[in-house]
Structures are given as structure tokens and as C-alpha cells.
Amino acid sequence: MNQVKINTAGGRSLVILDGTMDHISGLLPDRGLFIITDTNVSRLYGHAFPPGEVLVIEAGEKSKTLDVAGDLCRKMLEAGADRSAFILGFGGGVVCDIAGLTASIFMRGVRHAFVSTSLLSQVDASIGGKTGVNLGEYKNMIGTFRQPEFVLCDHSMLATLPDEEFRSGLGELYKHAIIRDRNLFLDLSASAGRLAEREPQILGDLILRAVKIKAAVVKSDPLEKGTRRILNFGHTFGHVLETHYAIPHGIAISQGMIIAAELSVWKGELPHAGLRLLEMALEKAGLLTRYRLPSNVVSRISRDKKGEADSVNFVLLRSVGKAIVRSLPLTEIQAFVTYYNEKELESQSQ
């Protein structure tokens, strides 16, 4: 078992890696525990839930809505919850997002923590204190910053993930390496085969290194006013692809990272060799699927959380392992999108 502590002005969080339910027994309250989970996780791990009121949502992105959060609050109130309630989100990224938001808004905030069951949530979604639900086609438009008291990452639970969900988590794992740690990126690329086999030792080591990267970024900028923005690498285009083509988050983000890298080359920030290095690594990991950007992509980006006036704070690359943030005018993004789609159309016709 390894532990990573995230201490910020807004709260403290303990991330327990490669732990088991035994490691959190003393961290849970004796009464007032509400477990938010989904239909898939309840079926697989319901036997492992600690004593408490279990609230089950439908599995999948469709549950990331304000209506679902409101329904959870209503059910908690009907079950007798008060301000001493403790919410335990038990599941993957969607569960962590909705449980965290519910904990933020129920009676203006109650204690909460997570048991993270997917690779995506263990390396990213459950860590850092972001909560959020979608507003129509706009990802995570409604949310808060609120640190969970602890996050338990039991790596043995990753064995039950479908292959597509496991690969989706790999996308975020690669993202952490690409923005901050070239050596981790090279180790991920070299370990692609062992990762595909989900070898516990190599998987645990790589998850730990990725979590340390995110923890360090969050500590330095808990409310995403500056440095933390680099964690959005690949997300500006990736979120549009995710909702437009209905593809898993990490797969969409992987394609978004390639597009952001192409934009970095187009802007003269990244050598073309850096883009090619990313393409080869993500293709080897089974994460590279080419999609054209939808025609309304710039309109949707203009309403993105990262937008300000007629520009967007965009994460670009200087090299693999070094990300930078640049404010780009929407007119410039439109010019790049036109270039990118014409290039993709020409490539597909060959």
C-alpha cells in the first residue's frame, strides 16, 4: 500500500493506492453513511459495501446530470440524512463526479470520500477535488471544487473492467505523462504489452507515478487558476469528440491530445517529431482512432469552461513532458480546425 497526501487551502485528501476496504474501515463514520454507486458496480461489489444506505444510479454518462444529483439529495433527505451525513462514492469516474457534487450541495456540504473502481478514476477523476455534471452536450459545465477526505484505489478491482473501459483509463494515464514526465511516457510506451495484460506490479507503479503528478499540480493550484490548467491537455477538442461521437472519455481525450499536439506543431511550439512520437505510442496502446472534428466545434469550444471573451486557454506542448497554456483567439482555432479537417479528409481518401 502507498499513500499520497493532497493538502490545499480548501481541504486535505488522502489517496490510498493498492489498498483494500480494510484500510478505510477506521475512516468511515459509525452512522449516517450513504453509499452512492451505479448498477454495474453494485452488481460486482455490493457484497463489499460497508454498512450504510445504498443509493444506486444508472451506469454511464447519462447519469451525470443535475436532475440525478437532485434526486440523490431528495432520497438522502427522505432517508433521514442531516448535516452529519457522510457520502461514499463507490465506483468509477461518473460515480465520483456525481457523488462529489451531491456532497457539495446537500445541506450546503457534507463529508465525502471515494472508493475508486476504474483506471480512469484511479488516475484522474477521483483525485483533485473537481466535481461536475453535464449540461446537455457540454461536459462538466456544472460543478464545484471540493476535496474528498480520502480516495481508496484497490487495483484488484481493475480486473473486472471491460477492455474498452480499461483503455479509456490508459488515455488519462498517458496524459499525465505527456504533460509533465517524459520518463513516465517512455516507460508507459515500453510497458504497453504488460499494461494490456494488466500486470499488477507494473500497473501499480505507473498509477502511483501518475497520481503523484496530479497531486503535485493540484497542490500548487487547487482552483485551476493557472498551473492546473495543464491537466486539461486534450480535453478541449476531446470533450467535443466524446459527446458528438458517443465514445469513451479516455479514447476521446487520446484523440484530443493528438489534435492538440497537431495544433502545437501548427503554432510552431512542438517539433513534428514530437507529434509523431505521440501518435506511435497511442497507436501501440490501442488508443488512436481518427475522427474529424464536427462542424460546430468552434461554437461549442466558445462556451467551454476554459473560454474567456473571444479566446480560449488552450494547453499546447513544447515537448513530450512539457505542457504550456496559451490564450488563443477563436478565429485562430477556426483556421486550425479548417486545416485539420481538410488534412483528415485528404488522408482518409488516400
Side-chain angles (χ1 to χ4, degrees):
M1 182 187 72
N2 292 288
Q3 296 185 353
V4 176
K5 296 179 181 179
I6 304 176
N7 297 327
T8 71
R12 298 181 178 183
S13 186
L14 175 67
V15 184
I16 304 168
L17 296 143
D18 202 18
T20 67
M21 292 299 293
D22 290 339
H23 291 112
I24 64 169
S25 59
L27 302 176
L28 295 171
D30 295 329
R31 55 179 293 276
L33 179 64
F34 289 82
I35 300 166
I36 296 178
T37 189
D38 68 26
T39 48
N40 288 342
V41 175
S42 179
R43 173 175 51 84
L44 289 168
Y45 298 112
H47 65 278
F49 290 169
E53 187 80 19
V54 179
L55 306 176
V56 182
I57 63 174
E58 287 297 314
E61 193 74 13
K62 59 185 175 292
S63 287
K64 279 185 60 171
T65 70
L66 202 54
D67 285 342
V68 171
D71 187 53
L72 288 168
C73 289
R74 178 182 57 79
K75 288 178 177 177
M76 287 179 63
L77 192 62
E78 291 173 351
D82 56 27
R83 297 198 71 176
S84 67
F86 190 110
I87 291 177
L88 182 67
F90 202 122
V94 170
V95 166
C96 292
D97 271 338
I98 197 77
L101 181 64
T102 302
S104 296
I105 61 177
F106 183 74
M107 294 192 175
R108 294 195 175 97
V110 296
R111 300 167 63 197
H112 77 295
F114 301 133
V115 175
S116 178
T117 62
S118 73
L119 181 58
L120 179 65
S121 63
Q122 290 191 10
V123 299
D124 189 67
S126 67
I127 297 163
K130 271 189 178 182
T131 79
V133 293
N134 304 331
L135 184 62
E137 64 184 3
Y138 296 99
K139 288 276 294 179
N140 301 324
M141 190 59 67
I142 301 170
T144 62
F145 288 95
R146 188 175 177 85
Q147 292 289 345
E149 292 191 8
F150 66 81
V151 180
L152 171 66
C153 300
D154 183 344
H155 300 336
S156 69
M157 292 180 176
L158 303 181
T160 60
L161 284 179
D163 285 343
E164 187 176 59
E165 287 301 314
F166 185 79
R167 286 192 295 114
S168 180
L170 285 180
E172 288 285 3
L173 188 54
Y174 268 93
K175 181 205 73 180
H176 285 80
I178 291 167
I179 62 171
R180 199 78 174 208
D181 190 336
R182 184 181 181 89
N183 288 333
L184 176 57
F185 171 81
L186 295 175
D187 288 345
L188 277 167
S189 302
S191 305
R194 296 173 66 188
L195 274 174
E197 295 298 321
R198 309 189 195 186
E199 288 189 21
Q201 184 175 358
I202 188 69
L203 192 56
D205 173 65
L206 295 172
I207 291 174
L208 174 61
R209 292 164 67 183
V211 168
K212 285 182 176 180
I213 289 171
K214 181 158 190 181
V217 173
V218 170
K219 286 178 188 176
S220 68
D221 180 22
L223 299 181
E224 201 174 290
K225 299 295 185 182
T227 305
R228 186 168 178 170
R229 289 171 175 166
I230 67 171
L231 294 171
N232 293 318
F233 178 62
H235 285 61
T236 305
F237 287 125
H239 278 164
V240 175
L241 295 173
E242 180 181 357
T243 55
H244 185 79
Y245 293 104
I247 54 179
H249 176 77
I251 307 297
I253 296 312
S254 296
Q255 181 58 37
M257 289 191 290
I258 293 299
I259 300 173
E262 291 217 28
L263 175 56
S264 302
V265 174
W266 192 72
K267 287 285 295 177
E269 298 284 359
L270 178 71
H272 191 272
L275 168 62
R276 186 64 190 133
L277 183 62
L278 292 190
E279 288 178 324
M280 290 189 296
L282 296 183
E283 185 172 19
K284 185 179 179 182
L287 292 169
L288 190 56
T289 306
R290 306 297 297 218
Y291 291 94
R292 293 186 71 217
L293 291 165
S295 58
N296 67 343
V297 61
V298 176
S299 173
R300 289 176 61 179
I301 287 174
S302 70
R303 296 178 177 87
D304 190 274
K305 302 180 298 301
K306 298 175 283 295
E308 296 177 2
D310 293 325
S311 63
V312 173
N313 290 310
F314 220 99
V315 187
L316 304 177
L317 286 184
R318 279 273 174 83
S319 61
V320 175
K322 184 178 176 65
I324 56 173
V325 180
R326 293 287 183 265
S327 179
L328 301 183
L330 292 172
T331 52
E332 189 170 9
I333 295 174
Q334 180 62 71
F336 169 75
V337 168
T338 301
Y339 156 80
Y340 176 82
N341 277 342
E342 288 176 352
K343 181 170 171 282
E344 281 298 296
L345 185 62
E346 181 179 345
S347 175
Q348 293 170 13
S349 64
Q350 291 177 351

